[in-house]
Amino acid sequence: MTSTIEAIKAKIDVVEEIGLVVALQKSGKAFKGLCPFHNERTPSFYVFEESQTWHCFGCNEGGDVFTFVQKQQGLEFWDALLYLAEKTGVPVEEQGGRDPEVERETSAAKERLRKLNEDALLWFHQMLLRSKDAAEARAYLQSRGISSESVIVFGLGYAPDSWDGLSRYLLGQGYTERELVNGGLAREREGLLGGIKAGGEGVSGGVYDYFRKRIIFPIRDMRGRVIGFGGRILGEGQPKYLNSPQTLLFEKNSVLYALDMARDAIKLAKQVIIVEGYVDAVIAHQYGTKQTVACIGSAITEKHIAQIKKLTKQVTLALDPDAAGASATEHGIQ
């Protein structure tokens, strides 16, 4: 582990890394800028090239490139290590007690799943923007006051009312049916579905799309990578909201929607606002309240709080004013 840390430090310059998020100016042997961790008008945040460290004389925070990435991105040390290792191309030693071969396979599977999600996102997004079938979806978003810019920024999409539109596209991109099912984008056929015989290896073989006739909200991790999707039904149908099933990347009760986009605003405002739905979060961001996130489902969990408390201690609950929202608010306060 120590050798991995040293190898990463040898390949990364703390001035360059911090300079990506803080405007730095040369000041003697150091570089100075406005601290990203507290509000200030006069720079008291210094980065020292020789020692590869940083220190803020205003809030007394400091450390090396690892502590900066941890604090700035709200990551645990291990996640910061993986982030910097990926950036520098340094192979990571496995954590004690884990089988290196299993770790490598899991890591490769996660990477493949991220690529699958990105390809699905592009397809959903293009469907919403260009498909004739998406006219109702575009009208719905407009009726909710969501701007074209928000559609682009949040990467909103549309799953058409067809059994296997996405599946056929992804199979054509070289993914397997097993990958689609494991990634939560398709289900295995059972019996006769829409007049298509199960088990036959037709164009999309033995799978059908998980999301159909739904507006799609991509769900991202803290680093902005797509880990799953939420889909709102158009017209009648149940459930009203359908989320990706649990996968290698996605666990519903530990993810906060839009946290990747809200992170910096939460730190700046020293507050997080938690709303109940995807649309509520998008609208809040659209009108400038960017410290807003949504819980996926109405329950706030300890895993949510563990992520939030790295960024702020002040939590404002703005859940729906109905019985479920009131119950979730009481539970959340506890």
Side-chain angles (χ1 to χ4, degrees):
M1 176 66 77
T2 308
S3 61
T4 305
I5 293 167
E6 293 310 316
I8 290 169
K9 284 185 175 180
K11 285 195 168 192
I12 206 154
D13 178 35
V14 73
V15 177
E16 277 182 30
E17 183 62 27
I18 293 176
L20 294 173
V21 289
V22 179
L24 297 173
Q25 292 180 317
K26 194 89 166 82
S27 176
K29 287 188 173 182
F31 292 81
K32 69 178 181 180
L34 295 172
C35 179
F37 307 125
H38 79 285
N39 291 330
E40 63 175 15
R41 290 182 181 174
T42 307
S44 58
F45 179 89
Y46 284 79
V47 185
F48 305 98
E49 194 168 23
E50 280 184 19
S51 60
Q52 289 291 296
T53 58
W54 61 277
H55 186 84
C56 176
F57 294 93
C59 62
N60 212 29
E61 293 283 350
D64 58 11
V65 69
F66 286 92
T67 49
F68 182 83
V69 168
Q70 272 183 269
K71 192 164 176 61
Q72 198 268 326
Q73 298 197 27
L75 301 175
E76 298 291 351
F77 175 77
W78 180 250
D79 292 319
L81 178 81
L82 292 176
Y83 166 76
L84 290 169
E86 193 179 305
K87 200 167 189 178
T88 53
V90 173
V92 177
E93 293 172 8
E94 311 307 329
Q95 287 178 298
R98 294 186 182 179
D99 182 336
E101 193 56 42
V102 171
E103 282 291 317
R104 269 192 291 276
E105 283 179 14
T106 304
S107 180
K110 283 183 175 179
E111 206 48 54
R112 178 78 171 164
L113 182 46
R114 286 190 192 102
K115 178 79 173 69
L116 173 68
N117 283 339
E118 290 291 348
D119 285 345
L121 164 63
L122 288 172
W123 190 83
F124 285 137
H125 190 54
Q126 289 305 313
M127 279 289 146
L128 178 64
L129 297 183
R130 297 181 178 174
S131 168
K132 285 180 185 174
D133 297 343
E136 187 186 348
R138 291 191 289 267
Y140 172 81
L141 291 171
Q142 203 169 5
S143 75
R144 292 298 302 268
I146 293 176
S147 68
S148 302
E149 187 183 355
S150 291
V151 167
I152 304 295
V153 168
F154 283 86
L156 304 188
Y158 176 65
D161 189 14
S162 79
W163 279 111
D164 58 1
L166 176 66
S167 295
R168 276 184 291 132
Y169 170 75
L170 291 172
L171 291 168
Q173 296 297 305
Y175 295 100
T176 65
E177 291 184 349
R178 178 54 48 205
E179 284 178 314
L180 267 57
V181 172
N182 289 347
L185 291 166
R187 287 172 165 153
E188 292 181 47
R189 295 187 190 278
E190 287 178 27
L192 287 169
L193 289 167
I196 303 169
K197 193 175 285 185
E201 288 296 321
V203 179
S204 58
V207 297
Y208 64 97
D209 292 353
Y210 183 81
F211 295 102
R212 298 186 309 283
K213 203 180 180 187
R214 289 179 182 271
I215 291 170
I216 299 294
F217 297 84
I219 302 165
R220 295 178 166 88
D221 64 12
M222 190 77 102
R223 286 167 56 185
R225 300 174 299 184
V226 182
I227 55 172
F229 299 91
R232 189 202 187 281
I233 195 82
L234 275 178
E236 298 301 309
Q238 289 296 327
K240 184 176 174 184
Y241 282 94
L242 178 69
N243 298 304
S244 290
Q246 184 158 329
T247 68
L248 263 179
L249 300 177
F250 182 72
E251 188 183 351
K252 188 174 80 170
N253 69 358
S254 64
V255 178
L256 286 162
Y257 177 70
L259 184 58
D260 59 309
M261 299 177 76
R263 185 182 62 206
D264 293 341
I266 290 168
K267 286 190 283 194
L268 208 59
K270 294 186 169 64
Q271 174 207 38
V272 62
I273 298 169
I274 301 179
V275 296
E276 203 166 305
Y278 300 112
V279 172
D280 296 340
V282 172
I283 291 286
H285 278 253
Q286 184 174 305
Y287 287 98
T289 311
K290 295 182 184 289
Q291 68 270 35
T292 305
V293 300
C295 43
I296 296 167
S298 57
I300 294 159
T301 68
E302 288 182 20
K303 288 180 179 178
H304 291 147
I305 299 302
Q307 293 178 67
I308 289 166
K309 72 180 184 186
K310 295 173 194 167
L311 304 172
T312 182
K313 298 248 184 336
Q314 185 174 330
V315 179
T316 300
L317 298 176
L319 306 180
D320 291 355
D322 55 19
S327 170
T329 300
E330 280 188 32
H331 176 75
I333 289 167
Q334 287 167 20

